[in-house]
């Protein structure tokens, strides 16, 4: 596994590598550019000056030094011996010659015609005489390198500070997430200057935290709801068992029926809870509310109706389809009616259903 690095260190490393490559490239370009400029100037000079003198040396057979840099040769035989092997016979044009001792020369060969006759004359210029002194050139490169390294250090220092500022929001987010103070899933906040990326990450994390908080809240509510709903059938079962004990173990038909109904209610509640946990809602779920549905509902609620001495009436104006799961719809209606029975002792409770509403 590769060693992990911080976000800021990666930025710094990338900038160090990039700046190093740039510094080396600039120094190399300076070195090559100076040498190319020298050669271009020398070649330009000899191409302009030499032809002017060569036109006047047709009758010359030896060598004439025009100035300390430029020497004219009236024939091939007059050339220095070290040049004879470098310059082809009958060659004309311009060339640069580098000798074994690192001396550089610019050479021009020109054909001069006089009537039907012609001959080739030469002009040779010593390039080293006009080039930079090696020591001076080296010192100039050293100065430029020091200057470049200084800029390099300043740039890297700026990059380090900038990288830390860029990484600060991300470090702040990590610190906030690791903090023990975030028990209520409040919005996290960051230090430093936020970028678009860090702001998006922070918003996404806050949104995710809100979802977690809502799920925990839903879980707590769900647990309380389970405890509340299961308490009623459990009390029915316990009451029936107490009656049986009081009758010295003799089970009455009514007690068994109450236990059976309570057990059925607990099974329905369990199925409802499992359905809610799975969250497998189907948009095609439909429940038919008709007289058969209401008769079954009244039968399941008969015990609560009788125990609270409530007058319960139901009226179905039209048979309707309700787009809802049967278990969930029954649980909602029964829960509302049971609460109504508990709050209406010796009172009246009515259930009215039409095409638009359940009241």
């Amino acid at each position: 596994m590769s060693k992990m690095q911080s976000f800021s260190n990666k930025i710094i490393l990338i900038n160090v590598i990039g700046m190093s490559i740039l510094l080396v490239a600039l120094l190399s370009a300076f070195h090559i550019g100076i040498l190319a400029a020298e050669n271009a100037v020398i070649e330009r000079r000899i191409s302009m000056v030499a032809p002017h003198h060569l036109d006047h040396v047709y009758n010359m057979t030896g060598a004439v030094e025009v100035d300390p840099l430029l020497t004219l040769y009236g024939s091939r035989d007059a050339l220095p011996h070290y040049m004879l092997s470098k310059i082809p016979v009958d060659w004309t044009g311009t060339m640069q010659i580098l000798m074994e001792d690192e001396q550089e020369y610019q050479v021009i060969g020109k054909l001069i015609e006089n009537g039907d006759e012609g001959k080739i004359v030469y002009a040779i210029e010593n390039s080293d005489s006009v080039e930079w002194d090696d020591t001076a050139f080296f010192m100039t490169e050293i100065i430029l390198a020091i200057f470049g390294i200084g800029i390099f250090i300043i740039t890297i220092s700026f990059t380090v500070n900038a990288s830390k500022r860029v990484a600060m929001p991300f470090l702040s987010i990590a610190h906030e997430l690791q903090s023990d103070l975030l028990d209520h899933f409040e919005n996290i906040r960051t230090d430093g200057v936020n970028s678009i990326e860090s702001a998006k990450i922070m918003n996404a994390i806050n949104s995710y935290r809100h979802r977690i908080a809502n799920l925990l809240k839903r879980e707590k509510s769900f647990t309380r709801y389970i405890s509340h709903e299961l308490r009623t059938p459990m009390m029915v079962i316990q009451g029936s068992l107490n009656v049986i004990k009081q009758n010295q173990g003799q089970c009455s038909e009514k007690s068994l029926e109450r236990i059976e109904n309570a057990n059925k209610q607990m099974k329905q509640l369990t199925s409802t809870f499992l359905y809610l946990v799975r969250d497998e809602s189907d948009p095609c779920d439909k429940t038919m509310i008709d007289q058969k549905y209401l008769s079954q509902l009244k039968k399941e609620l008969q015990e609560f109706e009788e125990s609270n001495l409530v007058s319960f009436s139901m009226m179905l104006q039209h048979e309707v389809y309700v787009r809802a799961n049967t278990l969930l719809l029954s649980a909602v209606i029964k829960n509302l009616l049971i609460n109504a029975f508990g709050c209406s002792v010796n009172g009246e409770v009515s259930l009215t259903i039409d095409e638009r509403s359940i009241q």
Side-chain angles (χ1 to χ4, degrees):
M1 182 181 293
S2 59
K3 185 177 179 182
M4 296 182 64
Q5 292 183 336
S6 67
F7 183 67
S8 58
N9 286 342
K10 288 184 177 181
I11 295 178
I12 293 170
L13 179 61
I14 292 173
N15 279 274
V16 168
I17 295 174
M19 289 296 297
S20 300
I21 295 174
L22 180 61
L23 180 60
V24 172
L26 288 176
L27 291 176
S28 300
F30 171 78
H31 180 82
I32 296 172
I34 290 296
L35 295 179
E38 284 183 340
N39 293 332
V41 170
I42 294 171
E43 184 176 350
R44 178 68 173 169
R45 178 182 182 278
I46 193 173
S47 63
M48 293 177 63
V49 175
H52 173 74
H53 295 285
L54 288 174
D55 291 338
H56 301 85
V57 296
Y58 179 82
N59 296 322
M60 185 182 71
T61 58
V64 175
E65 185 177 298
V66 177
D67 56 43
L69 302 178
L70 183 64
T71 302
L72 306 180
Y73 298 90
S75 64
R76 180 177 175 81
D77 295 336
L79 292 172
H81 66 280
Y82 53 82
M83 286 290 181
L84 292 176
S85 60
K86 305 291 184 180
I87 302 175
V89 179
D90 298 331
W91 168 84
T92 58
T94 303
M95 75 166 63
Q96 183 183 43
I97 296 177
L98 178 64
M99 308 301 293
E100 288 76 5
D101 58 357
E102 301 299 325
Q103 290 286 321
E104 292 184 19
Y105 296 90
Q106 292 287 340
V107 181
I108 288 182
K110 184 178 181 180
L111 175 63
I112 299 178
E113 296 180 351
N114 186 7
D116 295 334
E117 298 180 355
K119 71 173 183 176
I120 299 175
V121 295
Y122 302 92
I124 299 177
E125 184 174 66
N126 188 348
S127 301
D128 286 344
S129 300
V130 295
E131 288 182 346
W132 278 28
D133 179 75
D134 289 342
T135 302
F137 186 58
F138 178 73
M139 291 302 297
T140 302
E141 288 187 318
I142 292 295
I143 293 172
L144 288 175
I146 294 173
F147 179 73
I149 292 173
I151 296 178
F152 175 81
I153 293 173
I154 294 173
T155 304
I156 292 302
S157 300
F158 174 80
T159 301
V160 170
N161 293 329
S163 300
K164 289 181 178 179
R165 289 197 299 271
V166 170
M168 180 61 69
F170 299 97
L171 295 175
S172 180
I173 291 174
H175 176 72
E176 290 288 327
L177 292 176
Q178 292 173 354
S179 175
D180 292 333
L181 301 177
L182 303 179
D183 296 332
H184 301 291
F185 294 94
E186 66 271 14
N187 286 342
I188 61 174
R189 294 176 175 82
T190 59
D191 298 328
V193 179
N194 280 329
S195 61
I196 295 177
E197 292 78 9
S198 64
K200 286 185 176 180
I201 291 175
M202 186 173 61
N203 291 336
I205 292 175
N206 284 332
S207 175
Y208 193 69
R209 288 163 60 82
H210 290 161
R211 290 169 58 191
I212 294 175
N214 290 333
L215 288 174
L216 291 176
K217 183 178 179 181
R218 179 181 176 185
E219 182 181 354
K220 292 179 180 179
S221 300
F222 186 70
T223 304
R224 288 195 299 268
Y225 181 71
I226 289 177
S227 302
H228 174 74
E229 293 300 322
L230 290 179
R231 188 179 293 115
T232 300
M234 290 172 65
M235 289 176 62
V236 172
I237 293 174
Q238 185 63 47
S240 299
L241 291 175
N242 290 337
V243 172
I244 294 173
K245 289 179 181 178
Q246 290 176 2
N247 293 331
Q248 298 180 351
Q250 296 179 2
C251 294
S252 65
E253 185 177 345
K254 187 173 183 179
S255 296
L256 289 175
E257 185 179 355
R258 292 182 65 193
I259 292 175
E260 185 179 358
N261 290 335
N263 182 58
K264 186 183 297 183
Q265 184 181 0
M266 292 177 67
K267 286 183 178 179
Q268 290 178 348
L269 287 172
T270 302
S271 299
T272 303
F273 295 150
L274 290 175
Y275 185 88
L276 288 172
V277 169
R278 289 195 297 266
D279 194 20
E280 297 177 351
S281 56
D282 187 350
C284 296
D285 280 346
K286 288 184 179 181
T287 300
M288 177 67 173
I289 299 181
D290 51 14
Q291 289 297 337
K292 182 180 179 181
Y293 180 89
L294 294 183
S295 298
Q296 180 64 31
L297 182 65
K298 184 173 178 62
K299 182 179 179 181
E300 293 175 1
L301 296 173
Q302 184 176 359
E303 182 179 344
F304 299 97
E305 179 185 355
E306 294 175 352
S307 62
N308 290 281
L309 303 176
V310 173
S311 174
F312 178 44
S313 62
M314 296 186 297
M315 182 173 63
L316 178 64
Q317 296 182 358
H318 297 282
E319 293 182 354
V320 293
Y321 275 104
V322 179
R323 187 167 296 178
N325 178 267
T326 303
L327 283 175
L328 297 183
L329 180 63
S330 298
V332 170
I333 294 176
K334 286 194 290 185
N335 188 62
L336 291 173
L337 290 172
I338 290 172
N339 289 336
F341 292 157
C343 298
S344 306
V345 178
N346 294 319
E348 296 181 358
V349 175
S350 64
L351 176 66
T352 303
I353 300 175
D354 58 27
E355 294 179 340
R356 293 189 175 184
S357 64
I358 300 176
Q359 298 180 358

